[in-house]
Amino acid sequence: MHPVELSSPLLRLDQPRPDDAQRVFEYCQDPVMPQYLARLPWPYRLEDATGFITGYVPSAWANDQECTWAVRDSAAPELLGVISLSVPAGDAAARAGSIGFWVGAAHRGRGLMVEAQRLVLDWGFSTGLCDSVHWECVAGNLASARTARKAGFRYTGQGPAGVAYRDGTHPPSWKGALRAADDRTPLAGWPAEVVGA
């Protein structure tokens, strides 16, 4: 696949650029990052940010594995966060992708990731790339869970993380799913602490 740009009046999603590496590095010094991001190297170095932007992201697009965007304000170039849609492989009749995202601490609480998810999900469903999308986070990651709920994901329960964390474990994780035909209305059934904000 070739990278695409997505936009709305609030956000622009485009490709991470080499000059974003410093900002990615700075955001990833936040102590919540290694707690909640499974594959994030720790300690996180500037070289890790550069490798992610110049190596992993373009390779994953080119190999039809994962579509990753920089999240920016529609009117400014600063990197605010990152969002990715992993592309399903195999049988096109059961194309279930997965979504992941993070936002820099200074930009949390503004609804940016709800809008970023809407843009990515609309694109993934409208292009036929996936018929459903899976989301998960470490149990207790209220910010991620609240964002997923607001984006319309249905809570499907708690279980071991689908991706091994850097220590090889699969910690208890909250999970959700969204189908192309779903109306994206926030649903009941989420843990009380998620709904309570």
Side-chain angles (χ1 to χ4, degrees):
M1 285 184 294
H2 297 289
V4 297
E5 184 173 311
L6 308 173
S7 64
S8 73
L10 179 65
L11 295 179
R12 184 176 80 257
L13 307 186
D14 61 15
Q15 290 308 285
R17 303 185 297 256
D19 62 354
D20 291 323
Q22 181 64 39
R23 185 69 68 192
V24 170
F25 167 72
E26 291 168 4
Y27 288 151
C28 287
Q29 302 313 298
D30 182 341
V32 306
M33 296 298 228
Q35 182 180 355
Y36 293 137
L37 297 181
R39 295 178 288 178
L40 189 76
W42 195 257
Y44 194 81
R45 305 166 302 157
L46 181 58
E47 293 80 7
D48 296 316
T50 300
F52 171 72
I53 290 171
T54 63
Y56 179 79
V57 170
S59 174
W61 272 98
N63 293 316
D64 297 342
Q65 293 175 311
E66 188 171 46
C67 310
T68 299
W69 291 268
V71 178
R72 307 182 199 277
D73 185 281
S74 60
E78 180 186 2
L79 179 85
L80 308 177
V82 170
I83 188 166
S84 297
L85 181 67
S86 293
V87 181
D91 184 3
R95 297 183 66 75
S98 63
I99 198 165
F101 47 84
W102 59 262
V103 66
H107 308 291
R108 294 174 190 151
R110 296 171 48 194
L112 301 176
M113 279 303 161
V114 175
E115 177 69 358
Q117 285 182 91
R118 184 188 68 77
L119 289 169
V120 169
L121 292 164
D122 285 352
W123 177 78
F125 291 146
S126 68
T127 59
L129 193 63
C130 28
D131 299 318
S132 64
V133 173
H134 167 78
W135 160 90
E136 71 174 39
C137 74
V138 173
N141 184 349
L142 293 175
S144 183
R146 288 169 179 161
T147 299
R149 178 179 177 268
K150 289 175 183 175
F153 280 84
R154 171 178 45 89
Y155 182 67
T156 58
Q158 180 172 309
V163 175
Y165 274 49
R166 70 189 63 77
D167 63 359
T169 64
H170 294 259
S173 296
W174 289 332
K175 300 172 185 280
L178 183 73
R179 296 168 301 195
D182 292 342
D183 68 7
R184 317 260 185 106
T185 301
L187 299 170
W190 285 80
E193 60 266 45
V194 175
V195 179

